[in-house]
Amino acid sequence: MPPEPKLTKTRNIGIIAHIDAGKTTVTERVLFYSGRVHKMGEVHNGEATMDWMLEERERGITITSAVTSCDWQGHAINIIDTPGHVDFTIEVERSLRVLDGAIGIFCAVGGVEPQSETVWHQADRYKVPKIAFINKLDRVGADFFKAILMIRDRLGAVPLVLQIPWGIEDDLNGVIDLVKMKGILWEEETLGAEFNEVPIPAEMLEEALKHREHLLETLADKDDLIMEKYLSEEKMEIKEIKQAIRNATINLELVPIFCGAALRNKGIQPLLDGIVDYLPSPLDIPPIVGHIPSSEKEESRPAEIKGPFSALVFKVIMDQGRKMTYLRVYSGTAKMGDSVYNPGKDINEKLSRLLKMHSNKRERINSASAGDIVAAMGLKLATTGDTLCSKEKPILLEPIQFNEPVISMAVEPKKVGDNDKLLDSLGKLSDEDPTFKFKIDEETGQTVISGMGELHLEIIAGRLKREFFVETNQGKPQVVYRETVTKTVEHEEFFDREIAGQQHYAGVKIETSPLPRGSGNRFVDRCKNPDLAEDCLQAIKQGIAEGEAGGVLAGYPVLDVQTCLLGVRIKETSDVMAFKVAATMAFKNACQGAAPLLLEPIMKTEVRIPEEFTGDVISDFNARHGKITQITSTGTVQILTGSVPLSKMFGYSTALRSASQGRGTFTMQFSHYDKA
């Protein structure tokens, strides 16, 4: 069967990078030159199409990943512009999960910055083919080749240079295309919409030939046809070179490198050509694999419009109080009004409306098929990571992995009567963002919100006020601690009580022992009693899980503990409830005697500072009980990598700014839990 022409001409791509590398600016140019918008919005004016939230426009940063689409050379390109700030990594994670290709954008001055590294490795984990665009070549201090070395050294990628800059900084004229061996100059009058291909100027020819030679040499290693022609010095067709680059990119062997200056409208059209020429269509990537619900049998779903329907929910947003669900369709077709099956929750839901999104604007469509990224209305219970499929041919796709929140603070409404409204609004926000959680602390009665960093929680408080009209007071953030045990202890617990005139009895003997950090909790059944029924065993497991939810020191969840069931005592009055209660009590009492210990979150932190401030910053870092594991220097910038307890990092951004005259930056992400 010939491949679907629609699928071969579809590209689902994401734009990933460190904060301020120019992702949104590049996306604006892509939309302008492809005719999707008729005016370029600028981030610094707060007018970027893709930054539609008020918070994004005020701060000049992307907070939520926005979906749009455009056409280029007869190809439909779906684009997701993702945030670059570490607090919003979940937005990148869930976007990469459903994309077929990505564009990594790097600043020619900063090169590979900490967050670019994080998102690049996230893309590696999902095996997403990538191309790179080195932006801001017009800035003072721009260094194209240094950025390429950093891509090789820091990201472990094999860069394939397809373009070199023609001039640099203020003298940036255009780029030299090494595949076509032409110079490209953009017209200032048409805001870069028109450009001319010209012969390479004499002063650049030698350098261009040297890089072209290196390009063909690298390709010859990956492609037999190119190798043959390269060795016999035959002329190579542009078409053959492009095909070889495409194959190597899709096989994750190479990363094609483009360059330009998005703000000065240079370099975008060749990048669009690169998306079409080198990034995969839904047919070029391996079929998505899931398993049949209620069995472990694996099944793959190739991208076929006429196949059974399957899609993954990758984002949920509240839009004017109504729930909008973003889907990536992997196979089959769904029409507006169709009923779809959610195998994870075992429910049917109706697609009351299907929408094609352009940032926060929408266009109604009648159906969505394999390869499409669309939004749906009417799915009341679907959450991020859920699978939707046809009831006749169900499949359960692997859900999306989320990081746990690391920072918490107490919130309370300013008006006494707003408490229910606050809880309702927090519920809607946590549906949207799986890394944002809230709970009511049973002991203090406080409403505690938890997220990925101070900025994350600040934005949540801003959205509560703006979108939900709930003004709040915030308390100092609380760190989310954990507990563990340090000794192996055996304990037997009996539950023997009369409740509502009925006797309940159970005896449970367990052993708790510590596991290495990061292992999680484990349950091992070593009970040899043949009379123990399956439902009683499940009740014991449940009782232990309840014990693990709140430890004995301060009620924090218990981590890295192995619980072994050694034996049980059974009478005719034994039942499920008695076993569950006995197991919880046994676990709590065993932990009490196993020298329990408080664990605190340790953050992997990277600080970038000019050389002259290194001493002050290190001594401040040490005062916060931090451990520096590595100091590297790139030019005049020192990069300190280390780990530090989260509890000591509140207000660090202010301290770092004052220690480095405002020139230091830092990123931190959760690493592990360790002894407090």
Side-chain angles (χ1 to χ4, degrees):
M1 212 169 86
E4 297 276 358
K6 176 204 161 201
L7 285 171
T8 52
K9 291 190 179 288
T10 299
R11 301 286 181 274
N12 289 318
I13 58 149
I15 297 192
I16 58 172
H18 189 83
I19 191 166
D20 224 16
K23 294 180 298 303
T24 304
T25 306
V26 168
T27 312
E28 288 298 316
R29 301 305 184 265
V30 163
L31 296 176
F32 179 70
Y33 298 135
S34 63
R36 191 73 172 87
V37 297
H38 303 295
K39 173 178 177 277
M40 283 188 270
E42 301 297 1
V43 176
H44 51 265
N45 299 336
E47 289 170 1
T49 312
M50 303 301 274
D51 287 352
W52 56 270
M53 281 170 76
L54 271 168
E55 282 85 355
E56 296 181 307
R57 296 194 158 189
E58 280 175 5
R59 294 168 191 265
I61 62 169
T62 303
I63 291 166
T64 174
S65 49
V67 180
T68 187
S69 57
C70 64
D71 292 305
W72 187 254
Q73 294 180 358
H75 288 69
I77 303 175
N78 294 318
I79 303 169
I80 300 185
D81 173 29
T82 65
H85 196 287
V86 66
D87 283 16
F88 309 107
T89 318
I90 174 60
E91 290 288 335
V92 187
E93 183 87 23
R94 58 177 164 195
S95 304
L96 286 171
R97 173 71 168 76
V98 297
L99 291 170
D100 304 332
I103 304 172
I105 294 185
F106 300 95
C107 165
V109 182
V112 176
E113 292 165 290
Q115 189 59 11
S116 338
E117 223 172 316
T118 307
V119 294
W120 191 272
H121 293 317
Q122 280 175 303
D124 283 343
R125 200 168 67 237
Y126 289 122
K127 298 189 166 49
V128 176
K130 297 173 282 293
I131 60 180
F133 180 73
I134 295 179
N135 191 21
K136 304 195 179 186
L137 284 166
D138 56 329
R139 272 185 55 190
V140 177
D143 188 336
F144 176 70
F145 294 104
K146 186 188 97 183
I148 285 173
L149 275 175
M150 288 175 84
I151 289 174
R152 172 172 311 190
D153 298 344
R154 286 196 155 204
L155 304 177
V158 181
L160 184 72
V161 179
L162 303 187
Q163 298 178 341
I164 55 172
W166 179 350
I168 198 89
E169 296 180 1
D170 281 346
D171 302 325
L172 180 72
N173 300 309
V175 303
I176 306 287
D177 184 328
L178 301 175
V179 177
K180 294 181 182 169
M181 284 305 275
K182 292 271 195 223
I184 306 176
L185 292 174
W186 278 268
E187 300 279 350
E188 299 282 336
E189 299 75 55
T190 61
L191 292 174
E194 287 175 22
F195 57 93
N196 299 308
E197 288 188 356
V198 298
I200 296 172
E203 72 273 10
M204 294 280 303
L205 194 56
E206 192 184 329
E207 192 184 352
L209 286 167
K210 180 183 93 181
H211 289 294
R212 159 92 171 185
E213 186 66 18
H214 187 233
L215 164 76
L216 295 176
E217 224 172 82
T218 312
L219 266 187
D221 278 351
K222 310 287 178 198
D223 190 281
D224 296 343
L225 176 71
I226 302 286
M227 169 73 87
E228 223 170 276
K229 291 203 161 187
Y230 181 71
L231 293 175
S232 57
E233 295 184 3
E234 270 180 72
K235 185 176 183 298
M236 288 181 220
E237 299 295 327
I238 288 177
K239 202 170 150 192
E240 293 168 345
I241 295 174
K242 284 187 169 180
Q243 190 55 50
I245 297 171
R246 180 178 178 79
N247 294 342
T249 306
I250 291 171
N251 295 334
L252 306 172
E253 296 172 323
L254 298 171
V255 176
I257 307 277
F258 294 83
C259 62
L263 198 61
R264 281 176 58 180
N265 311 318
K266 292 185 164 92
I268 301 298
Q269 293 93 336
L271 179 65
L272 273 163
D273 292 340
I275 293 170
V276 166
D277 291 340
Y278 308 129
L279 285 177
S281 75
L283 294 169
D284 295 317
I285 54 166
I288 187 92
V289 175
H291 65 266
I292 309 293
S294 74
S295 84
E296 289 308 304
K297 190 171 167 250
E298 278 203 347
E299 185 172 299
S300 63
R301 286 278 161 97
E304 288 170 358
I305 290 174
K306 292 190 166 63
F309 176 70
S310 65
L312 186 77
V313 173
F314 68 95
K315 187 176 161 94
V316 172
I317 67 168
M318 285 298 158
D319 183 66
Q320 295 160 357
R322 296 176 66 197
K323 187 168 170 183
M324 186 151 76
T325 312
Y326 283 81
L327 320 172
R328 158 74 199 257
V329 184
Y330 284 103
S331 63
T333 302
K335 294 188 175 67
M336 188 172 82
D338 278 2
S339 172
V340 290
Y341 178 55
N342 180 332
K345 296 192 166 80
D346 191 20
I347 48 168
N348 288 307
E349 293 206 77
K350 192 176 171 189
L351 298 169
S352 58
R353 229 186 265 170
L354 288 171
L355 307 162
K356 191 174 181 181
M357 299 304 292
H358 172 50
S359 183
N360 63 332
K361 297 181 183 68
R362 60 190 70 170
E363 180 190 321
R364 281 198 190 195
I365 51 173
N366 293 323
S367 67
S369 56
D372 285 344
I373 291 179
V374 296
M377 304 294 266
L379 301 172
K380 293 187 176 63
L381 299 171
T383 51
T384 302
D386 281 1
T387 304
L388 301 175
C389 58
S390 64
K391 183 89 192 227
E392 297 70 48
K393 278 257 172 136
I395 186 170
L396 194 56
L397 305 175
E398 186 196 338
I400 301 171
Q401 300 301 320
F402 308 120
N403 289 343
E404 283 300 308
V406 292
I407 179 172
S408 303
M409 69 183 185
V411 291
E412 60 178 30
K414 283 188 178 173
K415 294 183 191 147
V416 180
D418 274 355
N419 205 39
D420 289 347
K421 199 170 164 190
L422 171 68
L423 294 176
D424 183 48
S425 310
L426 290 175
K428 287 177 177 167
L429 288 169
S430 73
D431 281 348
E432 269 188 39
D433 179 353
T435 58
F436 169 69
K437 300 252 172 42
F438 75 99
K439 64 168 199 258
I440 295 171
D441 190 312
E442 287 174 9
E443 286 171 27
T444 62
Q446 280 183 316
T447 303
V448 177
I449 61 174
S450 312
M452 301 309 292
E454 290 182 66
L455 178 65
H456 189 188
L457 295 184
E458 214 176 285
I459 301 267
I460 294 278
R463 288 187 63 192
L464 282 171
K465 183 177 172 183
R466 273 208 175 122
E467 292 171 35
F468 300 97
F469 310 109
V470 181
E471 291 202 40
T472 55
N473 296 320
Q474 292 103 33
K476 185 176 179 291
Q478 298 290 309
V479 176
V480 183
Y481 289 94
R482 293 285 183 267
E483 295 181 21
T484 191
V485 299
T486 51
K487 288 203 308 220
T488 300
V489 163
E490 269 187 29
H491 182 81
E492 187 166 19
E493 189 70 44
F494 296 97
F495 180 77
D496 191 0
R497 196 172 297 169
E498 188 181 310
I499 299 171
Q502 199 179 340
Q503 198 66 29
H504 298 269
Y505 174 85
V508 172
K509 187 178 185 182
I510 60 165
E511 176 192 87
T512 56
S513 52
L515 289 172
R517 285 292 149 269
S519 310
N521 291 334
R522 211 177 290 157
F523 176 81
V524 181
D525 178 15
R526 292 206 191 120
C527 175
K528 299 284 188 283
N529 193 325
D531 299 333
L532 180 64
E534 180 59 31
D535 56 347
C536 292
L537 177 63
Q538 290 308 322
I540 292 171
K541 279 189 187 173
Q542 221 178 339
I544 285 166
E546 280 182 19
E548 288 168 349
V552 293
L553 284 176
Y556 291 110
V558 178
L559 263 197
D560 304 335
V561 174
Q562 173 169 296
T563 308
C564 250
L565 178 62
L566 302 176
V568 291
R569 302 280 181 98
I570 303 174
K571 287 183 183 174
E572 53 279 5
T573 56
S574 296
D575 61 3
V576 167
M577 186 207 75
F579 275 113
K580 187 176 164 185
V581 176
T584 306
M585 285 160 55
F587 183 81
K588 295 264 188 194
N589 290 332
C591 287
Q592 199 90 50
L597 181 71
L598 205 58
L599 299 173
E600 65 177 336
I602 305 294
M603 308 302 284
K604 180 184 174 208
T605 308
E606 187 167 290
V607 187
R608 295 174 153 243
I609 33 157
E611 243 166 72
E612 59 267 36
F613 306 114
T614 311
D616 293 352
V617 171
I618 289 178
S619 59
D620 177 58
F621 200 80
N622 291 339
R624 292 170 188 273
H625 302 186
K627 290 188 190 116
I628 288 179
T629 49
Q630 193 184 15
I631 301 180
T632 46
S633 61
T634 55
T636 58
V637 176
Q638 296 280 11
I639 300 166
L640 315 178
T641 310
S643 55
V644 64
L646 175 65
S647 56
K648 303 282 187 253
M649 288 301 272
F650 294 124
Y652 183 64
S653 46
T654 317
L656 179 64
R657 282 182 198 136
S658 56
S660 63
Q661 296 177 5
R663 289 164 65 194
T665 59
F666 81 103
T667 56
M668 65 176 186
Q669 60 198 77
F670 174 71
S671 167
H672 61 282
Y673 278 96
D674 214 340
K675 183 179 170 185

